[in-house]
């Protein structure tokens, strides 16, 4: 019997959150045993979940396999070696919140030997024997994931290169499952799989995933299997995006293991045609197996190490200055690595000004990474206003910013620089042409980075310019795919990835363009200019700029700076804005989306999208910045919306919030007045949290039958008994024809003996009577015997009783945030952006 270990307690060196995830990590090879440069040794490569499960390092030289501990293995140049991992990043399990340091990865070296049609390939691998017990609970659900980075190049010919696989028996063709890099001509560089079928043959599925992963860049890959006798299902993911789905009745319903099962990482041993013909050329890290169907938002993610990042050359947060007033020479934001940012007003004229604006981005915080585990308050930003004619203005200069990037190391030529330049910006004026937001360079020399507003034909867009390959003429790499001058904050980034010979630009964390076989060199003495061309020579920007950062590393988007609502450790997981669709989108991970379904209840109609909330802005937090213009909502007339089963709902503490405008009720097809009593025990349902594919609810929010000013929640406790809790509105009806914000909070204690439930209306807690304290009400635990839930909107117990009106902006949170973090709403968006 293997030990059941939850995500939140995987290892002692992970910072454990209080949240318990409802899935088991079966195995997790982190490769943290030794320092980079040391060979993998016998008996040391351990599963972090169960340290008694040890991977045996092996090296194949042609048809001969040598195990770790032998002299031949120790002298081999192809043995698995610990290597440096993703620089400056940590590994985070988003479900539990556990954050682990990442000190090493495993590198697998390969070489071609022999000759003929089946030449020998030298290389190492890791073998985990007797894993039948390890995988015995994965017969119906399994998720396998890892981070990989290839070093073999696109022209490698390894037949196929296994990443991680389970082999049953003594034949190289006996995979129960195998995840690998496809190196054959039809699928060169693609992520592929082999799986066993009911017919006893190996089914090859190598051609469908189109994205290549053999590019020398770190990628996250995942294989997810859910098996039933009628409809087994397999999905492949690359970088959190599903690239292939396979459903085939021939796939075994129980595929993870066999009698002589072994798990291999990085290649196969002597079973590989006796020729060492299956080897992975590159690095593998964080191989994790879970006995559950995980969604992308639950996969392992990477985060920056945050403010202690030694590769940050300059970070200007614009959080105050050395003087109450901005005067010539004021140092802004402090220094990093000896580089100062200095304010200049020498070019100011009538109408030009600069100031710290404490109203913009108030109530937000800044963190390094989309899943930042540490954030700092963001109290102000720099506001720049040019002269009336636009010819003069103020700017910020960081002289010699490139000194921190420059090196005279003869082994690192001028062309070989990895760095990232990023900032947040918001335009104050529409249609400004060629205004400089941020620039690195100098007059008469090449320009490594230049963010500007667009030209006369694309004035609403942000443009990314540079001088490629040390040229003197600037080139436009691309423009933002969305409007830049829409009155909203945007993130801009340029990445010089010299290691992989590519230059990439991003707008709001989405790739705008890539220039291959290019580089952006720097020279000593180049300055960084914020809000204008170099030395105040023109192109003055009107708007707000914040958190300018230069990092001596080619960052991935998950490492860029991000803004969060205050207290964002309790992050929203899903949001359905109902903007003419039923997408329940992952808030923390925008790659992840659930598509809901709108339908007619008995005798009714499907929801109709209407502009009942036209022009309103949704705010992330009562004091947060505007999040999205909100035009549409769903009109419900004997209708419902169902968001499908998702493991993201499986939280021990969570919040469901939404906007609603209820107009009345219908009993059958007959409309009743808003203050009508429904009579008996009849319900007009608002939200139902339903287990799996059944109709049985865990909890159900509805209007009280005989009280038009009250809500009631029926909640199923740990014993399966339904308890009812009532909450009364003060001085108004549930269905008063006005927009209101509601939130339901559920939280159980660690041993599930008690569960609290709370209802908020318009950000205020409700009580069950006018004299009762406005505190959470408790029930005897929360029913948890079945995993998988659906969220249903406007579904009632009886088909004859219906609540009427509009539903908008449903959001599902992990945890129970303060009401100040709920979605706010303003009647007119212009009120928030006209100054």
């Amino acid at each position: 019997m293997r030990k059941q270990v939850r995500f939140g307690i995987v290892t002692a060196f992970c910072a454990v959150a209080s949240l318990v995830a409802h899935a088991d990590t079966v195995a997790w090879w982190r490769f943290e045993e030794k320092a980079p440069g040391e060979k993998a040794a016998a008996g040391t490569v351990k599963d972090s979940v169960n340290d008694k499960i040890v991977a045996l390092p092996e090296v194949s030289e042609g048809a001969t396999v040598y195990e770790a501990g032998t002299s031949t293995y120790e002298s081999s140049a192809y043995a698995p070696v610990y290597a440096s991992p993703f620089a400056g990043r940590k590994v985070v399990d988003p479900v539990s919140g556990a954050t682990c340091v990442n000190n090493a990865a495993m590198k697998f070296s390969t070489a071609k030997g022999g000759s003929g049609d089946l030449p020998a390939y030298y290389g190492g691998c890791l073998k985990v024997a007797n894993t039948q017990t390890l995988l015995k609970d994965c017969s119906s659900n399994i998720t396998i994931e890892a981070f990989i980075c290839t070093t073999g190049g696109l022209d490698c010919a390894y037949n196929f290169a296994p990443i991680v696989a389970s082999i049953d028996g003594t034949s190289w063709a006996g995979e129960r499952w195998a995840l690998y890099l496809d190196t054959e001509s039809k699928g060169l560089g693609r992520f592929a799989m082999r799986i066993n079928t009911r017919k006893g043959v190996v089914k090859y599925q190598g051609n469908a995933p189109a994205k290549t992963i053999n590019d020398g860049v770190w990628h996250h890959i995942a294989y997810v299997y859910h098996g039933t006798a009628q409809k087994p299902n397999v999905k492949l993911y690359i970088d959190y995006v599903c690239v292939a789905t396979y459903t085939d009745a021939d796939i075994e319903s129980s595929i993870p293991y066999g009698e002589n099962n072994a798990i291999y990482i990085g290649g196969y041993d002597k079973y590989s045609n006796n020729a060492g013909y299956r080897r992975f050329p590159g690095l593998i890290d964080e191989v994790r197996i879970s006995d559950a169907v995980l969604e992308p938002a639950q996969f392992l993610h990477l985060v920056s190490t945050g403010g202690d990042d030694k590769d940050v050359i300059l970070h200007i947060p614009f959080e105050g200055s050395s003087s109450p007033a901005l005067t010539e020479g004021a140092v802004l934001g402090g220094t990093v690595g000896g580089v100062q940012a200095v304010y200049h007003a020498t070019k100011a004229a009538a109408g030009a000004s600069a100031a710290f604006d404490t109203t913009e981005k108030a109530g937000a915080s800044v963190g390094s990474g989309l899943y930042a585990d540490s954030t700092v308050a963001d109290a102000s930003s720099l506001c720049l206003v040019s002269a009336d004619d636009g010819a003069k203005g103020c700017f910020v200069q960081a002289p010699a910013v490139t000194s921190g990037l420059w090196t005279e190391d003869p082994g690192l030529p001028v062309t070989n620089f990895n760095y990232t330049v990023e900032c947040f910006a918001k335009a104050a004026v529409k249609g400004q042409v060629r205004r400089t937001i941020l620039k690195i360079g100098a007059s008469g020399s090449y320009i490594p980075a230049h963010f500007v507003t667009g030209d006369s034909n694309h004035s609403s867009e942000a443009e990314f310019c540079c001088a490629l390959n040390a040229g003197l003429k600037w080139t436009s790499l691309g423009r933002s795919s969305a409007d830049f001058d829409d009155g909203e904050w945007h993130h801009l980034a340029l990445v010089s990835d010299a290691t992989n010979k590519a230059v990439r630009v991003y707008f709001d964390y989405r790739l705008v363009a890539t220039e291959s076989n290019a580089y952006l060199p720097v020279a000593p003495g180049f300055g960084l200019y914020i809000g204008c061309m170099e030395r105040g020579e023109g192109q003055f920007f009107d708007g707000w700029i914040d958190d300018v950062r230069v990092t001596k590393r080619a960052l991935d988007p998950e490492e860029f700076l991000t803004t969060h609502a205050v207290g964002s450790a309790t992050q929203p997981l899903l949001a359905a804005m109902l903007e003419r669709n039923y997408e329940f989108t992952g808030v923390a991970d925008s790659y992840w989306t659930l598509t809901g379904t709108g339908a007619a209840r008995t005798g009714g109609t499907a929801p109709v999208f209407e502009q009942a909330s036209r022009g309103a802005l949704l705010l992330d937090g009562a004091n947060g910045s505007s999040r999205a213009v909100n035009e549409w909502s769903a009109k419900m007339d004997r209708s419902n919306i169902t968001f499908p089963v998702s493991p993201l709902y499986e939280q021990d503490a969570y919040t469901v919030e939404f906007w609603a405008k209820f107009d009345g009720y219908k009993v059958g097809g007959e409309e009743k007045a808003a203050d009508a009593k429904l009579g008996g025990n009849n319900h007009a349902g608002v939200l139902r949290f339903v287990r799996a594919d059944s109709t049985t609810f865990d909890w159900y929010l509805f209007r009280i039958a005989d009280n038009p000013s009250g809500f009631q929640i029926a909640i199923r406790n740990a014993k399966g008994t339904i308890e009812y809790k009532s909450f009364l509105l003060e001085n108004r009806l549930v269905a008063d024809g006005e927009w209101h914000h509601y939130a339901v909070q559920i939280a159980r204690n660690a041993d599930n003996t008690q569960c609290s439930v709370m209802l908020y209306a318009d950000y205020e807690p409700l009580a069950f009577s006018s004299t009762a304290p406005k505190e959470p009400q408790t029930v005897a635990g929360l029913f948890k015997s079945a995993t998988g839930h659906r969220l249903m909107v406007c579904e009632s117990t009886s088909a004859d009783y219906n609540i009427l009106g509009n539903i908008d902006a449903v959001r599902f949170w992990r945890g129970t945030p303060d009401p100040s973090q709920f979605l706010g709403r303003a009647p007119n968006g212009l009120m928030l952006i006209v100054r």
Side-chain angles (χ1 to χ4, degrees), residues 487-517:
E488 303 292 338
W489 280 97
H490 296 283
H491 181 272
L492 301 92
L494 179 145
V495 179
S496 176
D497 187 354
T499 299
N500 295 294
K501 300 179 180 178
V503 177
R504 301 186 295 271
V505 292
Y506 296 84
F507 183 77
D508 287 341
Y509 312 97
R510 293 292 181 266
L511 183 66
V512 171
T514 299
E515 187 75 21
S516 300
N517 297 316

Short mmCIF file of all heavy atoms in Angstrom, two decimals, residues 487-517:
data_model
loop_
_atom_site.label_atom_id
_atom_site.label_comp_id
_atom_site.label_asym_id
_atom_site.label_seq_id
_atom_site.Cartn_x
_atom_site.Cartn_y
_atom_site.Cartn_z
N GLY A 487 -7.74 53.75 -22.42
CA GLY A 487 -7.95 54.21 -21.07
C GLY A 487 -7.69 53.17 -20.00
O GLY A 487 -8.09 53.35 -18.85
N GLU A 488 -7.02 52.07 -20.37
CA GLU A 488 -6.73 50.99 -19.44
C GLU A 488 -5.21 50.81 -19.31
O GLU A 488 -4.44 51.19 -20.19
CB GLU A 488 -7.34 49.67 -19.93
CG GLU A 488 -8.84 49.72 -20.15
CD GLU A 488 -9.62 49.87 -18.86
OE1 GLU A 488 -9.05 49.51 -17.80
OE2 GLU A 488 -10.76 50.33 -18.90
N TRP A 489 -4.79 50.20 -18.19
CA TRP A 489 -3.39 49.87 -18.01
C TRP A 489 -3.02 48.67 -18.87
O TRP A 489 -3.80 47.73 -19.01
CB TRP A 489 -3.09 49.54 -16.55
CG TRP A 489 -2.92 50.76 -15.69
CD1 TRP A 489 -3.87 51.34 -14.90
CD2 TRP A 489 -1.74 51.54 -15.54
NE1 TRP A 489 -3.34 52.43 -14.26
CE2 TRP A 489 -2.03 52.58 -14.63
CE3 TRP A 489 -0.46 51.46 -16.08
CZ2 TRP A 489 -1.09 53.54 -14.27
CZ3 TRP A 489 0.49 52.41 -15.71
CH2 TRP A 489 0.16 53.43 -14.81
N HIS A 490 -1.79 48.69 -19.42
CA HIS A 490 -1.30 47.59 -20.24
C HIS A 490 0.15 47.29 -19.87
O HIS A 490 0.89 48.17 -19.41
CB HIS A 490 -1.39 47.91 -21.73
CG HIS A 490 -2.79 48.11 -22.22
ND1 HIS A 490 -3.65 47.06 -22.46
CD2 HIS A 490 -3.49 49.25 -22.48
CE1 HIS A 490 -4.81 47.54 -22.86
NE2 HIS A 490 -4.75 48.85 -22.88
N HIS A 491 0.53 46.04 -20.07
CA HIS A 491 1.91 45.61 -19.83
C HIS A 491 2.59 45.42 -21.18
O HIS A 491 2.03 44.82 -22.10
CB HIS A 491 1.93 44.30 -19.06
CG HIS A 491 3.31 43.81 -18.75
ND1 HIS A 491 4.04 43.02 -19.62
CD2 HIS A 491 4.12 44.01 -17.67
CE1 HIS A 491 5.22 42.75 -19.09
NE2 HIS A 491 5.28 43.34 -17.91
N LEU A 492 3.81 45.97 -21.31
CA LEU A 492 4.60 45.85 -22.53
C LEU A 492 5.94 45.23 -22.18
O LEU A 492 6.53 45.55 -21.13
CB LEU A 492 4.82 47.22 -23.19
CG LEU A 492 3.57 48.01 -23.61
CD1 LEU A 492 3.15 48.94 -22.47
CD2 LEU A 492 3.83 48.82 -24.86
N ALA A 493 6.45 44.37 -23.05
CA ALA A 493 7.73 43.72 -22.77
C ALA A 493 8.45 43.38 -24.07
O ALA A 493 7.82 43.01 -25.08
CB ALA A 493 7.53 42.45 -21.95
N LEU A 494 9.77 43.52 -24.04
CA LEU A 494 10.65 43.10 -25.13
C LEU A 494 11.71 42.18 -24.54
O LEU A 494 12.31 42.50 -23.51
CB LEU A 494 11.30 44.31 -25.80
CG LEU A 494 12.27 44.02 -26.96
CD1 LEU A 494 12.17 45.11 -28.03
CD2 LEU A 494 13.71 43.91 -26.47
N VAL A 495 11.93 41.03 -25.19
CA VAL A 495 12.86 40.02 -24.70
C VAL A 495 13.93 39.77 -25.76
O VAL A 495 13.61 39.42 -26.90
CB VAL A 495 12.12 38.69 -24.39
CG1 VAL A 495 13.12 37.64 -23.91
CG2 VAL A 495 11.04 38.92 -23.34
N SER A 496 15.18 39.97 -25.37
CA SER A 496 16.31 39.59 -26.22
C SER A 496 16.82 38.24 -25.74
O SER A 496 17.46 38.13 -24.70
CB SER A 496 17.42 40.64 -26.13
OG SER A 496 18.55 40.22 -26.88
N ASP A 497 16.49 37.20 -26.50
CA ASP A 497 16.84 35.83 -26.13
C ASP A 497 18.01 35.37 -27.00
O ASP A 497 17.84 34.66 -27.99
CB ASP A 497 15.62 34.92 -26.32
CG ASP A 497 15.84 33.51 -25.79
OD1 ASP A 497 16.97 33.21 -25.36
OD2 ASP A 497 14.89 32.71 -25.80
N ALA A 498 19.21 35.83 -26.63
CA ALA A 498 20.38 35.53 -27.44
C ALA A 498 20.71 34.04 -27.45
O ALA A 498 21.21 33.52 -28.45
CB ALA A 498 21.58 36.33 -26.93
N THR A 499 20.44 33.36 -26.35
CA THR A 499 20.74 31.93 -26.28
C THR A 499 20.01 31.17 -27.37
O THR A 499 20.57 30.26 -28.01
CB THR A 499 20.33 31.38 -24.90
OG1 THR A 499 21.09 32.05 -23.89
CG2 THR A 499 20.60 29.88 -24.83
N ASN A 500 18.77 31.53 -27.63
CA ASN A 500 17.97 30.85 -28.64
C ASN A 500 17.82 31.67 -29.92
O ASN A 500 17.00 31.35 -30.76
CB ASN A 500 16.59 30.53 -28.07
CG ASN A 500 16.66 29.55 -26.93
OD1 ASN A 500 17.01 28.40 -27.12
ND2 ASN A 500 16.34 30.01 -25.73
N LYS A 501 18.63 32.74 -30.03
CA LYS A 501 18.67 33.55 -31.25
C LYS A 501 17.28 34.01 -31.66
O LYS A 501 16.81 33.76 -32.77
CB LYS A 501 19.35 32.78 -32.39
CG LYS A 501 20.79 32.38 -32.09
CD LYS A 501 21.41 31.61 -33.23
CE LYS A 501 22.83 31.22 -32.90
NZ LYS A 501 23.48 30.41 -33.98
N ALA A 502 16.62 34.71 -30.74
CA ALA A 502 15.27 35.20 -31.03
C ALA A 502 15.01 36.47 -30.24
O ALA A 502 15.53 36.66 -29.14
CB ALA A 502 14.22 34.15 -30.68
N VAL A 503 14.23 37.35 -30.82
CA VAL A 503 13.75 38.55 -30.15
C VAL A 503 12.23 38.46 -30.12
O VAL A 503 11.59 38.22 -31.15
CB VAL A 503 14.20 39.82 -30.89
CG1 VAL A 503 13.62 41.06 -30.21
CG2 VAL A 503 15.72 39.91 -30.94
N ARG A 504 11.65 38.63 -28.92
CA ARG A 504 10.20 38.49 -28.77
C ARG A 504 9.63 39.74 -28.11
O ARG A 504 10.27 40.34 -27.23
CB ARG A 504 9.86 37.27 -27.91
CG ARG A 504 10.38 35.95 -28.46
CD ARG A 504 9.89 34.76 -27.65
NE ARG A 504 10.40 34.74 -26.29
CZ ARG A 504 11.54 34.17 -25.92
NH1 ARG A 504 12.31 33.58 -26.82
NH2 ARG A 504 11.93 34.20 -24.66
N VAL A 505 8.43 40.12 -28.54
CA VAL A 505 7.74 41.25 -27.92
C VAL A 505 6.36 40.81 -27.48
O VAL A 505 5.72 39.97 -28.14
CB VAL A 505 7.66 42.47 -28.86
CG1 VAL A 505 9.02 43.07 -29.10
CG2 VAL A 505 7.00 42.10 -30.19
N TYR A 506 5.90 41.37 -26.35
CA TYR A 506 4.64 40.95 -25.73
C TYR A 506 3.80 42.17 -25.39
O TYR A 506 4.32 43.22 -24.98
CB TYR A 506 4.90 40.17 -24.45
CG TYR A 506 5.63 38.86 -24.63
CD1 TYR A 506 7.03 38.83 -24.69
CD2 TYR A 506 4.95 37.66 -24.72
CE1 TYR A 506 7.71 37.64 -24.85
CE2 TYR A 506 5.61 36.46 -24.87
CZ TYR A 506 7.00 36.46 -24.94
OH TYR A 506 7.67 35.27 -25.08
N PHE A 507 2.49 42.01 -25.54
CA PHE A 507 1.53 43.02 -25.10
C PHE A 507 0.50 42.32 -24.22
O PHE A 507 -0.17 41.39 -24.67
CB PHE A 507 0.85 43.67 -26.31
CG PHE A 507 -0.12 44.78 -25.96
CD1 PHE A 507 0.36 46.04 -25.62
CD2 PHE A 507 -1.49 44.57 -25.98
CE1 PHE A 507 -0.52 47.07 -25.30
CE2 PHE A 507 -2.38 45.58 -25.66
CZ PHE A 507 -1.89 46.85 -25.32
N ASP A 508 0.42 42.76 -22.98
CA ASP A 508 -0.48 42.12 -22.00
C ASP A 508 -0.25 40.61 -21.94
O ASP A 508 -1.20 39.82 -21.98
CB ASP A 508 -1.94 42.43 -22.32
CG ASP A 508 -2.31 43.87 -21.98
OD1 ASP A 508 -1.57 44.50 -21.20
OD2 ASP A 508 -3.32 44.37 -22.52
N TYR A 509 1.05 40.22 -21.89
CA TYR A 509 1.47 38.83 -21.66
C TYR A 509 1.19 37.92 -22.85
O TYR A 509 1.38 36.71 -22.76
CB TYR A 509 0.83 38.26 -20.38
CG TYR A 509 0.97 39.19 -19.22
CD1 TYR A 509 -0.07 40.05 -18.87
CD2 TYR A 509 2.16 39.26 -18.49
CE1 TYR A 509 0.07 40.95 -17.83
CE2 TYR A 509 2.30 40.16 -17.45
CZ TYR A 509 1.26 41.00 -17.12
OH TYR A 509 1.41 41.89 -16.09
N ARG A 510 0.76 38.49 -23.97
CA ARG A 510 0.53 37.70 -25.17
C ARG A 510 1.59 38.04 -26.21
O ARG A 510 1.90 39.22 -26.43
CB ARG A 510 -0.87 37.96 -25.75
CG ARG A 510 -1.99 37.47 -24.86
CD ARG A 510 -2.00 35.94 -24.81
NE ARG A 510 -3.08 35.43 -24.00
CZ ARG A 510 -2.95 35.11 -22.72
NH1 ARG A 510 -1.80 35.29 -22.09
NH2 ARG A 510 -3.97 34.63 -22.05
N LEU A 511 2.14 37.02 -26.84
CA LEU A 511 3.20 37.21 -27.82
C LEU A 511 2.67 38.00 -29.01
O LEU A 511 1.66 37.63 -29.63
CB LEU A 511 3.73 35.85 -28.28
CG LEU A 511 4.91 35.88 -29.27
CD1 LEU A 511 6.15 36.46 -28.60
CD2 LEU A 511 5.19 34.47 -29.78
N VAL A 512 3.34 39.11 -29.34
CA VAL A 512 2.98 39.92 -30.50
C VAL A 512 3.75 39.48 -31.73
O VAL A 512 3.20 39.33 -32.82
CB VAL A 512 3.23 41.41 -30.21
CG1 VAL A 512 3.06 42.25 -31.47
CG2 VAL A 512 2.31 41.90 -29.12
N ALA A 513 5.06 39.28 -31.57
CA ALA A 513 5.89 38.90 -32.72
C ALA A 513 7.19 38.29 -32.23
O ALA A 513 7.65 38.54 -31.12
CB ALA A 513 6.19 40.13 -33.60
N THR A 514 7.79 37.46 -33.09
CA THR A 514 9.09 36.86 -32.83
C THR A 514 9.98 37.10 -34.06
O THR A 514 9.55 36.88 -35.19
CB THR A 514 8.99 35.35 -32.58
OG1 THR A 514 8.18 35.12 -31.43
CG2 THR A 514 10.37 34.74 -32.35
N GLU A 515 11.18 37.56 -33.84
CA GLU A 515 12.18 37.71 -34.90
C GLU A 515 13.25 36.65 -34.66
O GLU A 515 13.98 36.70 -33.66
CB GLU A 515 12.78 39.11 -34.89
CG GLU A 515 13.69 39.39 -36.06
CD GLU A 515 12.94 39.63 -37.36
OE1 GLU A 515 11.74 39.98 -37.31
OE2 GLU A 515 13.56 39.49 -38.43
N SER A 516 13.35 35.68 -35.56
CA SER A 516 14.30 34.59 -35.41
C SER A 516 15.66 34.97 -35.98
O SER A 516 15.77 35.85 -36.83
CB SER A 516 13.77 33.33 -36.11
OG SER A 516 12.53 32.94 -35.57
N ASN A 517 16.69 34.27 -35.49
CA ASN A 517 18.07 34.52 -35.94
C ASN A 517 18.44 35.99 -35.81
O ASN A 517 19.02 36.59 -36.72
CB ASN A 517 18.25 34.03 -37.38
CG ASN A 517 18.05 32.54 -37.51
OD1 ASN A 517 18.55 31.77 -36.69
ND2 ASN A 517 17.29 32.12 -38.51
#
